[in-house]
Amino acid sequence: MNLYAVKSIYLFEMHRAWRTILQSVVSPVISTSLYFIVFGAAIGSRINTIDGVSYGAYIVPGLIMLTLLQQSIAAASFGIYFPKFIGTIYEVLSAPVSFLEIVLGYVGAAATKSIILGTIILITATFFVHVRIDHPFWMVLFFALTAISFSLFGFIIGIWADTFEKLQLIPLLIVTPLVFLGGSFYSIRMLPPFWQTVTLFNPVLYLISGFRWSFYEVSDVGVAVSLAMILVFLAICLGLVWWIFKTGYRLKS
Amino acid sequence: MDPVIAISGLSKTYEDGYEALKSVDLTIGKGEIFALLGPNGAGKTTLISILCGLVKPTGGSATVGGYDIVHDYRKTRSMIGLVPQELTTDQFETVFATTSFSRGLFGRPAKPDYIDQVLTDLSLIDRRDNKIMTLSGGMKRRVMIAKALAHEPTVLFLDEPSAGVDVELRKGMWDVVRRLRDSGVTIILTTHYIEEAEEMADRIGVISKGELMLAEEKHALMAKLGRKTLTIQLQEPLEALPDQLGKDGLELAEDGTALVYEYDTRSERTGIGALIADLNRADIRVKDLDTKQSSLEEIFVRLVREGQ
């Protein structure tokens, strides 16, 4: 394995994040703080507890997931799309590296960035509400699996996109609505039965539910189902990335 | 000379049916400078891109250093450095960082002293810690070369290295290329500038419409295909070409003050002796003589036209 290449890509991407530290870190922290103020203070004052957890604390896992999903996709998609856009991708494609090494470099960096951001959001949340983590191991596992899976998904979007508009299309029109409608800010049991059934088709529900369970031992669906869903999503993304490099889709003619 | 690149029946047909490369056979020796000439769309970049792994061939095979470019891609790509036609660099990185990145990408451990040496050789050391966006076009071109050399390749592809570069910088780059060749690096360059090939190459290949029309040692090519023109300045102008001088290839200049005779250097008899004798017989007095060898450019244009 060309570990020097993996390290080079990884450090290059991490350095790019450091160069844009304001955009990378401050912006999500401010956004999340606003969510706490708007949802926690305004709505939280009308909802005391959900499953015995204060509303402010209840939305913390959902907010972390929101950041994790958005930032994983954004970091990984931009990381691979930008070299394509400016033409520097030629260097990666002509280097003695396998698809696995390219993925490890780009996706590893994107996942690291989103995990760091998610951790910052978690720390920020403790300034607003009391947060407890009942199952730290499962929390870290869900955290890492989600960051890796959605970084892979972002990587796929970055390869598929041939315009900046397309780069934004899926995160804005599909992922963000799914996160908002997947129980980030509420329990699906608060919905009418019909909408509860509809929400079960939202894959993000399972991520948030499992992640929330690791915090407070409360969930909308079984934790095993949540874990299975994230593993299935990870497998699909890995399969797609393998196919992309095997066929050279949008990379090689 | 040991072959470092061996290409056999290499072809590329795109999905829309366009044949960019048609069964190319070519061998390039170790340590030589090989210039690939051809008009736009001839297949030069496609050929280089296949060898570097950027484009997938649809037929044939190629080896670099004895290794297959598809099955042993790690070995072949480790040996190759590529300077692409476009100036594609990350504008926000420094010269040193982007060059070091290239070295790591090609599987070599960090070696700052070597990177500094490459930057010194390319007169970039003063701009080592400057962002690429602050450099001139010529400097960016040299950064591209530095990146390609960062992993100490033994084969260097230069795709149109002088495109958009001023004359002084072009000559500076030729010096760099010669030094690299002297250090044992095999260099394959594509160019539109015939002067560049004529100045630097040991061997020249001409490609047109995806077909390699020839690959010859430069001087042999010029001698083989070169035509010479003999211009005879006359003491007194002629109104028309006299009948006794009706020789193939002989023309009277527009103002009638000179005779222009084109001949093939490959012929056993060039016809010059007979022409001089005819001039004497016709009592045409000669003021001066001048001969001119066809340039590589003229050879190239002729070959491409014949190919069409």
Side-chain angles (χ1 to χ4, degrees):
Chain A
M1 182 176 267
N2 186 349
L3 288 176
Y4 288 115
V6 176
K7 184 182 161 192
S8 289
I9 296 171
Y10 182 86
L11 292 180
F12 184 86
E13 283 298 297
M14 293 307 289
H15 182 244
R16 190 167 60 78
W18 180 249
R19 215 171 46 212
T20 54
I21 190 80
L22 271 179
Q23 180 195 326
S24 302
V25 176
V26 178
S27 167
V29 169
I30 290 176
S31 303
T32 309
S33 300
L34 286 171
Y35 280 124
F36 274 117
I37 291 164
V38 173
F39 286 93
I43 299 175
S45 61
R46 293 168 185 272
I47 306 170
N48 285 332
T49 59
I50 300 176
D51 294 331
V53 181
S54 74
Y55 183 71
Y58 186 86
I59 65 172
V60 170
L63 282 175
I64 294 171
M65 270 296 164
L66 178 67
T67 303
L68 209 55
L69 263 56
Q70 286 178 335
Q71 294 302 319
S72 297
I73 291 173
S77 62
F78 193 79
I80 190 69
Y81 176 76
F82 196 62
K84 270 175 54 191
F85 179 71
I86 63 172
T88 53
I89 192 74
Y90 85 87
E91 202 175 15
V92 175
L93 297 177
S94 64
V97 290
S98 67
F99 94 91
L100 182 67
E101 289 148 2
I102 294 174
V103 169
L104 278 176
Y106 281 106
V107 172
T112 305
K113 280 185 260 182
S114 59
I115 285 172
I116 290 171
L117 276 171
T119 308
I120 291 172
I121 301 300
L122 177 60
I123 294 166
T124 308
T126 60
F127 292 113
F128 293 90
V129 291
H130 173 69
V131 179
R132 69 169 206 274
I133 302 169
D134 289 346
H135 302 284
F137 170 78
W138 290 101
M139 179 267 195
V140 171
L141 186 70
F142 273 110
F143 207 43
L145 282 176
T146 306
I148 292 166
S149 305
F150 278 79
S151 294
L152 274 169
F153 186 49
F155 188 80
I156 293 163
I157 292 172
I159 286 174
W160 165 76
D162 50 13
T163 61
F164 275 99
E165 193 186 12
K166 279 189 182 173
L167 199 64
Q168 298 292 331
L169 203 67
I170 293 176
L172 278 179
L173 294 184
I174 299 175
V175 176
T176 303
L178 285 180
V179 178
F180 274 82
L181 299 173
S184 299
F185 301 103
Y186 53 84
S187 165
I188 64 164
R189 288 194 299 278
M190 296 161 77
L191 299 173
F194 172 75
W195 290 110
Q196 281 189 41
T197 308
V198 169
T199 308
L200 289 174
F201 289 96
N202 180 351
V204 177
L205 166 77
Y206 300 88
L207 306 181
I208 295 172
S209 175
F211 195 50
R212 186 172 282 136
W213 174 85
S214 70
F215 277 74
Y216 311 118
E217 265 189 345
V218 296
S219 61
D220 288 322
V221 291
V223 66
V225 179
S226 289
L227 189 62
M229 286 297 280
I230 185 76
L231 289 173
V232 166
F233 187 67
L234 180 66
I236 292 170
C237 289
L238 276 172
L240 273 173
V241 170
W242 174 81
W243 175 81
I244 282 169
F245 280 91
K246 187 172 182 288
T247 59
Y249 173 75
R250 301 237 163 150
L251 289 174
K252 289 185 185 185
S253 49
Chain B
M1 198 177 278
D2 295 337
V4 70
I5 296 176
I7 298 168
S8 173
L10 203 62
S11 309
K12 175 66 187 178
T13 305
Y14 287 95
E15 280 181 8
D16 61 4
Y18 175 69
E19 276 187 276
L21 221 51
K22 298 170 188 169
S23 193
V24 168
D25 296 305
L26 177 66
T27 304
I28 296 172
K30 192 177 177 184
E32 74 172 327
I33 299 180
F34 185 86
L36 197 56
L37 300 178
N40 286 330
K44 304 186 294 291
T45 301
T46 303
L47 179 60
I48 284 185
S49 298
I50 289 175
L51 295 174
C52 293
L54 295 169
V55 170
K56 293 192 286 187
T58 48
S61 63
T63 61
V64 177
Y67 296 104
D68 185 85
I69 58 163
V70 177
H71 299 107
D72 302 312
Y73 73 94
R74 281 189 194 272
K75 282 178 177 153
T76 61
R77 292 185 201 174
S78 302
M79 290 183 230
I80 294 173
L82 168 65
V83 182
Q85 206 174 122
E86 306 291 333
L87 281 174
T88 50
T89 51
D90 196 322
Q91 302 288 323
F92 303 102
E93 286 296 332
T94 65
V95 171
F96 183 81
T98 194
T99 312
S100 300
F101 168 74
S102 300
R103 184 177 172 84
L105 194 60
F106 278 75
R108 304 298 295 259
K111 200 173 174 186
D113 291 347
Y114 174 76
I115 300 292
D116 282 344
Q117 186 56 51
V118 170
L119 297 181
T120 303
D121 291 345
L122 290 162
S123 307
L124 284 168
I125 195 69
D126 293 341
R127 311 305 293 268
R128 180 186 190 274
D129 298 315
N130 290 126
K131 285 187 176 173
I132 292 166
M133 65 198 296
T134 66
L135 306 182
S136 67
M139 284 179 180
K140 284 177 188 165
R141 179 71 66 186
R142 276 180 279 158
V143 171
M144 301 297 291
I145 298 177
K147 282 168 74 66
L149 294 176
H151 62 283
E152 303 169 56
T154 52
V155 177
L156 182 66
F157 288 101
L158 296 159
D159 197 1
E160 305 280 355
S162 299
V165 169
D166 64 41
V167 177
E168 195 179 340
L169 184 61
R170 194 181 305 163
K171 290 191 171 160
M173 280 209 297
W174 293 351
D175 289 339
V176 171
V177 170
R178 284 195 197 95
R179 282 206 302 272
L180 285 169
R181 193 265 303 272
D182 292 343
S183 69
V185 177
T186 305
I187 291 152
I188 297 95
L189 65 96
T190 71
T191 184
H192 279 110
Y193 297 102
I194 310 293
E195 185 196 1
E196 194 162 61
E198 200 164 356
E199 177 74 24
M200 290 202 300
D202 300 314
R203 279 205 308 148
I204 289 169
V206 176
I207 190 167
S208 180
K209 293 186 172 176
E211 285 181 276
L212 188 69
M213 300 170 72
L214 62 87
E216 294 265 1
E217 195 272 327
K218 179 178 67 183
H219 298 296
L221 175 67
M222 291 182 72
K224 191 170 155 187
L225 296 177
R227 285 175 180 270
K228 270 196 163 183
T229 305
L230 170 69
T231 305
I232 304 167
Q233 297 290 340
L234 305 174
Q235 286 201 349
E236 289 165 16
L238 296 173
E239 287 184 2
L241 203 61
D243 289 342
Q244 59 263 57
L245 296 183
K247 198 170 183 64
D248 283 347
L250 183 68
E251 284 178 8
L252 182 63
E254 264 185 34
D255 60 0
T257 60
L259 292 167
V260 181
Y261 176 57
E262 191 177 280
Y263 60 98
D264 191 339
T265 53
R266 291 171 293 177
S267 303
E268 280 184 20
R269 290 171 177 269
T270 59
I272 293 173
L275 176 61
I276 299 293
D278 288 346
L279 286 171
N280 280 333
R281 273 196 291 277
D283 200 24
I284 297 170
R285 283 185 291 171
V286 174
K287 194 160 91 180
D288 199 3
L289 293 172
D290 176 43
T291 60
K292 182 173 161 273
Q293 171 90 46
S294 343
S295 69
L296 195 51
E297 180 158 0
E298 288 159 339
I299 298 171
F300 170 67
V301 168
R302 187 148 47 89
L303 276 171
V304 171
R305 275 191 193 144
E306 283 170 10
Q308 287 168 346

